[in-house]
């Protein structure tokens, strides 16, 4: 399972966006870059100070690859 550290800046890229199309909201992204949601299973949710990964995580690693600040790592 992956974890999000305190380096998280709550940019939302790991949860919904597309790393290729920065303004993508997820739905439009599927047509623009073919990636759709970075986390397709909804395992990343917003917490008070950072995002967290729930037990829905399937260990695909897309969130870690998409994170611009390196806040996500394998637990």
């Amino acid at each position: 399972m992956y974890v999000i550290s305190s380096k998280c800046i709550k940019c939302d890229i790991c949860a919904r966006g597309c790393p290729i199309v920065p303004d993508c909201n997820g739905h439009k992204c599927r047509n623009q870059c073919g990636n759709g949601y970075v986390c397709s299973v909804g395992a990343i949710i917003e917490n008070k100070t950072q995002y967290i990964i729930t037990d829905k995580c399937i260990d695909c690693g897309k969130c870690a690859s998409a994170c611009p600040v390196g806040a996500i790592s394998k637990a």
Side-chain angles (χ1 to χ4, degrees):
M1 183 165 166
Y2 284 81
V3 294
I4 300 177
S5 74
S6 61
K7 291 193 271 183
C8 176
I9 59 172
K10 290 184 80 172
C11 66
D12 199 31
I13 291 174
C14 64
R16 292 191 301 133
C18 170
I20 299 169
V21 183
D23 294 329
C24 172
N25 66 8
H27 300 288
K28 184 171 71 172
C29 183
R30 292 181 187 173
N31 295 327
Q32 290 181 343
C33 70
N35 287 341
Y37 285 99
V38 171
C39 184
S40 59
V41 296
I44 303 173
I45 60 172
E46 187 173 6
N47 201 359
K48 190 172 186 177
T49 59
Q50 67 185 53
Y51 280 79
I52 60 170
I53 299 175
T54 70
D55 59 1
K56 290 183 183 178
C57 178
I58 58 170
D59 283 341
C60 71
K62 287 182 182 178
C63 58
S65 299
C67 181
V69 296
I72 304 175
S73 61
K74 188 81 169 161

